[in-house]
Amino acid sequence: MPVHLTRDLDNLHRSLMTMCTMVEELIHDSVNMLEVPDQEQARKLAERDREIDEYDVRIEEECLKILALHQPVAIDLRRITTVMKISGELERIADLAVHIAERSCSLGNNPKMQVPKKVQEMAKHAVTMIRESIDAYVNLDTALARKVCREDDIVDDLNRQLIRTLSLQMSKSPELVDPSLHLFSATRHIERVADHATNIAEDVIYLVEGEIVRHRSPLD
Amino acid sequence: MNLNPSENLIDTATENLPGPAVSEKPGSPELATKIETRDLNFFYGPMQALFGISIKIAERSVTALIGPSGCGKSTFLRTINRMNDIIEGTRITGTVYLENESIYDPQVDVVELRKKVGMVFQKSNPFPKTIFDNVAYGPRVTGIKNKNELEEIVERSLKQSAIWDEVKDRLNSSALALSGGQQQRLCIARTLATNPEVILMDEPASALDPGSTSRIEDLIYKLKQEYTIVIVTHNMQQAARVSDSTAFFYQGELIEFGLTETLFRSPREKKTEDYITGRFG
């Protein structure tokens, strides 16, 4: 393998790994805020998100440079396109983490407003899916990637249950409509986070197997 | 290996020059098979150079043969017009079909075969004659003497090989005064003048600058509307750009053969992947 390409791919891998770590920490801190809202913390999260945005741009530039200079094919080509896509997914996850933090700060302090336990359960699943999808990328583990795709159904199911719970809560206690709507948005964001983790897992399957499994069951 | 002595054989011409048959979908899978080999083995004396090659090449498509030096791709290319016959001590087993004709059958006229299967070499090799005489050489050998007819063939061939505009005012100048890229297109015109069905190209652009290479590649794209083209190239990007199908040879074996876009994106075989990504060879 040409030494210049190896060097550029190594650098790219390091940049993506740094971005992964930053995003994992961001989403972790963000879902914790659903239990302990903190305005100051939410502001700091938005700052960290901007740093992640810069990484996204930097990684895309590195990928474009490699495409232009090395014209990679086969596994190297799939690696570059996968990294570009994963970087985009991570950037979106970071945005959603900021939105979740903002929603948590809007829940207010009505003592009657209880955050259902299923919210944390759902968030935990989504965060695990991100970690596993990144692990699948690092280890080129398609079995783990397929597991992530399956877990998305669990998150979707929890989201549906939470929508029912919140609807009921709003119809019973009109004074809770406002915070419930904020929580409803937060759970939708968590559900989207899980979708992005699924996209990363599907990209990993493409990277390893060369088959695009998006928009059809990757479990086939 | 010097193959020049045999050149005349492939530059001879036919008298009939039928019009082009253009496919709407050149290179698509529904095209008929033009060349087929079955369990082809080739030997240079005691050394076996090709091992059981079976392949089907579609008409009016471009097929690239890739692989490291000594992998047998040029040997394979030369089996298609029996150019290897002129090398002493060689032996072949298996079958090569051009459409339905087995080209190694004893009754096959090799000269006739090489009219149908023209060849362009790595190093452009115009005769030390005028541009006109280079292109008219093949038709003249087969007995065309009529000046108008020859002029028509020369003009058509030079136009087809995208060099007419550059040379039309100096057809009587020496071909050796042309640039490398122009000489190569002239050699393609010389091959086309004999009205072949198949054009074999052995690294036709490896000695050319990017501009001339690009013109040859554009020409290949245009020519496949009418001809079946098989090209040996060491330039991976060139194979990816110009061909519909790609065959990867390694140590005399055909490792993988498939649509170019698939082979360069997701090759089936590890060896193919390692070669095209530069991990060996």
Side-chain angles (χ1 to χ4, degrees), chain A residues 48-219:
Chain A
R48 283 156 65 189
D49 175 47
R50 277 190 284 280
E51 212 180 323
I52 289 166
D53 289 347
E54 283 169 20
Y55 257 89
D56 180 42
V57 172
R58 194 185 311 167
I59 286 172
E60 183 167 335
E61 282 173 346
E62 285 181 48
C63 288
L64 291 171
K65 183 189 113 181
I66 294 173
L67 288 173
L69 300 188
H70 302 286
Q71 291 128 39
V73 295
I75 181 72
D76 298 335
L77 175 65
R78 300 204 302 274
R79 167 82 63 179
I80 303 301
T81 53
T82 302
V83 168
M84 274 176 97
K85 294 178 76 180
I86 290 180
S87 166
E89 302 292 349
L90 290 171
E91 188 273 328
R92 289 294 300 135
I93 291 170
D95 287 349
L96 290 166
V98 173
H99 295 331
I100 292 167
E102 286 167 356
R103 291 299 170 186
S104 68
C105 292
S106 306
L107 290 177
N109 42 16
N110 187 329
K112 273 182 78 184
M113 180 65 198
Q114 293 289 319
V115 175
K117 284 201 167 53
K118 280 203 164 57
V119 173
Q120 272 306 327
E121 188 187 341
M122 184 183 172
K124 208 174 133 200
H125 269 293
V127 172
T128 303
M129 282 171 69
I130 295 171
R131 202 188 57 239
E132 287 178 338
S133 67
I134 293 166
D135 285 349
Y137 169 76
V138 172
N139 300 316
L140 302 177
D141 184 345
T142 53
L144 185 58
R146 287 188 160 84
K147 178 171 174 273
V148 172
C149 296
R150 281 194 296 271
E151 282 167 346
D152 192 38
D153 291 341
I154 301 172
V155 173
D156 288 347
D157 192 45
L158 284 167
N159 191 37
R160 275 190 291 270
Q161 290 178 35
L162 278 164
I163 290 169
R164 276 196 296 274
T165 307
L166 291 171
S167 295
L168 203 64
Q169 184 166 278
M170 284 188 276
S171 59
K172 276 187 185 165
S173 315
E175 73 277 19
L176 295 182
V177 166
D178 201 40
S180 296
L181 281 176
H182 284 298
L183 190 58
F184 173 77
S185 291
T187 62
R188 201 187 54 207
H189 293 322
I190 295 169
E191 189 268 329
R192 290 296 299 144
V193 166
D195 288 345
H196 288 296
T198 307
N199 290 348
I200 293 174
E202 288 170 345
D203 292 339
V204 172
I205 295 172
Y206 173 69
L207 170 65
V208 178
E209 298 177 358
E211 285 285 327
I212 297 173
V213 294
R214 217 166 52 250
H215 307 307
R216 63 186 167 92
S217 172
L219 313 172

Side-chain angles (χ1 to χ4, degrees), chain B residues 26-279:
Chain B
S28 61
E30 60 263 33
L31 289 173
T33 298
K34 184 74 183 176
I35 302 157
E36 181 176 359
T37 71
R38 286 188 204 157
D39 197 22
L40 186 71
N41 296 289
F42 189 86
F43 303 83
Y44 290 108
M47 196 204 82
Q48 186 164 359
L50 294 175
F51 296 83
I53 309 294
S54 296
I55 195 171
K56 284 182 181 177
I57 292 172
E59 65 171 357
R60 280 172 279 153
S61 68
V62 180
T63 301
L65 311 181
I66 61 167
S69 296
C71 69
K73 57 192 186 299
S74 290
T75 300
F76 176 77
L77 188 77
R78 292 195 304 265
T79 61
I80 302 171
N81 69 347
R82 292 183 58 171
M83 284 291 275
N84 290 321
D85 289 15
I86 58 168
I87 303 167
E88 218 169 296
T90 59
R91 188 163 61 85
I92 191 163
T93 66
T95 336
V96 181
Y97 293 98
L98 181 64
E99 288 184 337
N100 295 320
E101 187 184 22
S102 171
I103 65 168
Y104 283 87
D105 278 355
Q107 70 271 19
V108 168
D109 179 341
V110 179
V111 177
E112 282 297 318
L113 169 72
R114 290 177 189 153
K115 281 185 203 167
K116 286 190 206 162
V117 186
M119 193 157 188
V120 177
F121 298 89
Q122 178 180 10
K123 194 175 173 311
S124 54
N125 46 12
F127 304 136
K129 291 169 178 286
T130 65
I131 292 166
F132 185 94
D133 287 344
N134 261 275
V135 184
Y137 187 89
R140 275 182 180 138
V141 166
T142 55
I144 301 177
K145 294 207 166 53
N146 181 297
K147 194 166 171 286
N148 289 343
E149 197 177 341
L150 283 172
E151 279 175 357
E152 207 178 289
I153 293 170
V154 170
E155 183 174 338
R156 175 185 61 83
S157 305
L158 290 170
K159 277 182 175 165
Q160 272 189 311
S161 61
I163 193 182
W164 173 252
D165 288 339
E166 292 160 61
V167 300
K168 64 184 176 191
D169 300 324
R170 48 172 172 155
L171 292 175
N172 292 318
S173 306
S174 169
L176 300 179
L178 296 172
S179 74
Q182 288 171 327
Q183 286 190 12
Q184 192 61 304
R185 278 179 285 146
L186 178 70
C187 290
I188 293 173
R190 195 174 60 185
T191 303
L192 297 177
T194 67
N195 200 37
E197 296 168 21
V198 176
I199 305 171
L200 308 178
M201 297 184 170
D202 198 349
E203 296 191 55
S206 63
L208 304 178
D209 64 49
S212 302
T213 299
S214 170
R215 274 189 286 278
I216 297 283
E217 290 176 2
D218 291 349
L219 179 57
I220 290 170
Y221 184 78
K222 208 174 77 179
L223 290 175
K224 79 167 177 181
Q225 312 283 316
E226 299 170 43
Y227 305 94
T228 303
I229 298 171
V230 186
I231 177 171
V232 164
T233 177
H234 274 293
N235 181 335
M236 223 61 67
Q237 274 79 38
Q238 182 172 68
R241 279 193 300 265
V242 305
S243 68
D244 302 297
S245 303
T246 298
F248 169 58
F249 284 77
Y250 183 63
Q251 294 183 340
E253 290 181 46
L254 176 62
I255 304 295
E256 185 164 352
F257 177 52
L259 288 178
T260 298
E261 60 174 72
T262 309
L263 192 130
F264 279 94
R265 214 176 40 198
S266 310
R268 227 175 28 243
E269 302 294 330
K270 178 82 169 58
K271 264 185 200 157
T272 315
E273 177 141 300
D274 286 350
Y275 178 70
I276 63 176
T277 56
R279 283 167 174 80

